[in-house]
Structures are given as structure tokens and as C-alpha cells.
Amino acid sequence: MAPVTLRHVKKSYGDAAVIHGVDIDIADGEFVVLVGPSGCGKSTLLRMVAGLETITDGEISIGPRVVNELDPKDRDIAMVFQNYALYPHMTVETNMGFSLEHRGASKAEITERVNWAADILGLVPLLKRYPRQLSGGQRQRVAMGRAIVRNPQVFLFDEPLSNLDAKLRVVMRGEIKSLHQRLGVTTIYVTHDQVEAMTMADKIVVLNAGKVEQIGAPLDLYDRPINQFVAGFIGSPSMNFIGGQITPDGFAAAGITLPLPPGLAPGNAVYGIRPEHFELSPAGVAATVLLVEPMGSETQVTMTLGEHQAIGVFRERVKASPGETIIVRPDPANVHLFDTTTGARIN
């Protein structure tokens, strides 16, 4: 186990800069998720930690060592890839023990470590099978097993669940988190799926265009996003945004006035409200229903507020049809306001 530190890390391909001076502190044993849209640089950052990409500038430390010039094999890390990267001609047992064999470990040690990892991951009945005889979830477990037999200081996961179906992703998400809680190994996990980030991370790093937008605990980012980008990226369905003006009577937008928390200076702003922070209330504003989607325990409603389209998620079972009117009210205690020019949070 070891902390990982990135200081002013940059990466360029020729004249094209893709990582712009990233600073991240990852504590010993912490589970950190790098999240952001496609092309934001999260996989490039992970590969630089692994030593699979060179660093243009800055410094990466694993434990007390600066690893900029170290080969991947000397960094004491283990990486789990999106495509599993299993050897098709080897059994599960041989796949899991190959890295130990390559390092000159004894057969007894290899057998002991492989059996230990297989027991943790429920792979004991599958040790004599080949990758072609396994399901996607089983192959991912083997890839994880191959990583943990090495007892590394740091685990690196590069979108490991993206090839799995939705139901299996949920199962494997829990297994990876459970594995981390059991082993306590420092883990850096890359995903574009913010639901994975919210449910798995001790700390989330939100990246955008090669820069860190915000770092924090999942609920801190959810409750207090630092800017409009983070607010829109974290949460599903996404936060609703409405442009308008802060006035003494509320937030004035085209065709509507919405409630505000007290003490705000007048001026232009972007009004943000999460779908679950709408309520059905006669004290609200009229909304025209566009689409009603019953989800079982809640109902998702796409609607228009004045000239603005929004999504509301209600615990009640909304029995309205498209074209009908419902009265909704945003909870002013959960309103987020952003600068119209910079996108920075202003409340």
C-alpha cells in the first residue's frame, strides 16, 4: 500500500497539450475515481501513473519514490484493462500466476497466491478453464485476480466494466468495492460513468479537457458542485439549468419566476435544480407535461416551465398525460446558481 501524488503533471503530443498541470493527492488505501467525458484525459493520466505514457512535465510519486523514469514493472502497480487482456491459450490458473512466474516466484508460492486470490473472487471452480469458456463477468474476475496475486502497492482500473451489460456492471461494481475494502490497496479507477464514480469512490476527481475541475467526496460534489460543468456532469438525470436574472421577487426567466434562497445580489445567473428537488405543490409554477416515465418507486416527468424544458423526479405517481398541466415547485434550499460567463458557483 502506498499514497500516490501527482504534481503539476502535463502531457503533450507534439504541440497538442492534453493534460494541463494536474495536481492530485491520493492517500494510502484510498479509492479514487477519475471521471469525465470522453477525451478529457483520464485514461492518459492513469497510463502515466502506470508508466505506459511518458510525462511531458511534472512529477508522479508512489510512496516515497518519484517514478517518472521507472519502467512499469518497477512501479509496483497492477493494472486491470477494459478488454481483460487474458492469454487465450492459458488456463485461469496459469493466467493468474503468470506474472509471478515471470518474476521467478517458486511454484509453491504461485500456487498459494493464486488459490488465495481465487478464493476471494470465487474462481476456485474455474481454475482449469480457458478464457473462451468464461462469461464476461468471470473474465473480469480473472483479470482482477491476476492483479491482486502480485500484492501491488497500487491498483489501476481503466474502465473495467464498460464491456459488461447493465445488470452485470452493478454486480461487478459491488465486487470491486468489496475487494478494495477487504484488501485496503490504494486504487485509482477510471470511468466515464458518473454513477460508478458516485457509488464506488472515497474521492472523485472530475476532469474536463485535461484539467481538474473539482476533487472531493461524492456527496460533496453532488451537493456543492464548484461550477456548472461539475453540476451537470455529476448526477443522473442531470441537473436542470435555466438562464435568467436574480431579482428581489425570485429568479425571473422567460415566462416564469422561480423561488430563491435569501440574501442573493441581483444580476444575471444560471439557475440549477436537480430533478429530485422538484415537488408537486399548489404554491409552485405551471408546467406542461411532455413525457411521463413511471420507474416504480418514482416517476420521471419531462416538462416545460415557461419556455424552458426540465426533468423532474417525483416520489409520487404522477398521473398526468402529455399536454396536461401540473404545478411544481423547486426547493429553494437546493437551488444552485452559477455565473453566466464563467460557470462558477455564486451561492
Side-chain angles (χ1 to χ4, degrees):
M1 309 351 144
V4 178
T5 304
L6 284 72
R7 285 285 173 267
H8 314 303
V9 172
K10 297 180 181 180
K11 177 65 179 178
S12 299
Y13 296 101
D15 295 331
V18 294
I19 301 292
H20 307 276
V22 166
D23 293 288
I24 304 173
D25 291 300
I26 301 171
D28 186 4
E30 198 167 31
F31 194 119
V32 171
V33 175
L34 308 182
V35 69
S38 296
C40 71
K42 54 190 183 296
S43 289
T44 300
L45 206 56
L46 190 79
R47 289 173 63 84
M48 287 196 286
V49 174
L52 301 175
E53 292 276 0
T54 57
I55 301 170
T56 303
D57 195 12
E59 187 175 278
I60 295 177
S61 300
I62 298 176
R65 299 187 303 166
V66 175
V67 299
N68 291 26
E69 305 300 326
L70 293 183
D71 291 335
K73 64 182 177 63
D74 298 322
R75 297 192 180 200
D76 204 4
I77 55 95
M79 192 160 180
V80 179
F81 296 93
Q82 179 179 344
N83 62 358
Y84 319 134
L86 302 178
Y87 297 108
H89 62 288
M90 294 183 182
T91 64
V92 168
E93 183 177 25
T94 312
N95 262 289
M96 289 173 63
F98 181 75
S99 63
L100 296 179
E101 182 181 348
H102 186 66
R103 291 183 172 196
S106 67
K107 287 187 177 180
E109 182 185 356
I110 293 170
T111 300
E112 180 184 356
R113 296 291 300 176
V114 167
N115 287 338
W116 169 77
D119 183 58
I120 289 174
L121 295 166
L123 292 172
V124 173
L126 308 177
L127 287 175
K128 300 303 180 184
R129 294 190 188 181
Y130 290 88
R132 64 179 178 275
Q133 298 171 307
L134 305 176
S135 68
Q138 289 168 338
R139 291 177 192 176
Q140 190 56 273
R141 286 191 188 93
V142 175
M144 290 161 56
R146 184 179 56 190
I148 70 174
V149 295
R150 297 173 55 186
N151 194 26
Q153 292 196 78
V154 181
F155 284 138
L156 306 177
F157 288 87
D158 190 7
E159 304 211 39
L161 307 185
S162 58
N163 289 335
L164 305 179
D165 63 56
K167 186 174 182 180
L168 190 53
R169 277 203 304 272
V170 173
V171 173
M172 292 301 299
R173 203 163 70 200
E175 291 197 7
I176 292 173
K177 186 63 178 176
S178 177
L179 179 67
H180 173 259
Q181 290 170 344
R182 181 167 180 174
L183 300 179
V185 177
T186 307
T187 300
I188 307 174
Y189 186 104
V190 162
T191 182
H192 64 276
D193 184 336
Q194 51 84 33
V195 175
E196 277 183 31
M198 288 291 294
T199 55
M200 298 176 75
D202 297 323
K203 184 164 68 183
I204 295 175
V205 179
V206 181
L207 291 162
N208 181 29
K211 297 179 181 178
V212 173
E213 295 283 353
Q214 189 172 359
I215 299 175
L219 291 180
D220 290 342
L221 268 62
Y222 190 83
D223 293 336
R224 296 287 297 176
I226 197 170
N227 58 33
Q228 191 174 340
F229 176 84
V230 175
F233 193 83
I234 298 293
S236 181
S238 297
M239 184 181 288
N240 299 291
F241 297 114
I242 297 171
Q245 294 82 37
I246 299 169
T247 75
D249 299 321
F251 188 82
I256 52 171
T257 299
L258 300 172
L260 284 171
L264 295 170
N268 293 334
V270 175
Y271 187 99
I273 187 75
R274 293 201 181 278
E276 65 271 25
H277 293 148
F278 281 106
E279 59 183 3
L280 298 173
S281 168
V285 297
T288 303
V289 174
L290 300 178
L291 178 66
V292 177
E293 298 174 272
M295 315 289 281
S297 62
E298 58 193 21
T299 306
Q300 183 170 307
V301 179
T302 305
M303 54 195 174
T304 55
L305 302 171
E307 298 178 4
H308 309 276
Q309 185 167 310
I311 292 176
V313 174
F314 304 93
R315 298 297 294 181
E316 301 94 331
R317 297 193 174 183
V318 180
K319 296 179 180 179
S321 300
E324 294 183 351
T325 298
I326 58 175
I327 308 300
V328 300
R329 180 176 181 271
D331 178 2
N334 287 297
V335 167
H336 307 259
L337 292 159
F338 305 98
D339 186 275
T340 54
T341 303
T342 66
R345 185 185 188 89
I346 60 175
N347 72 316

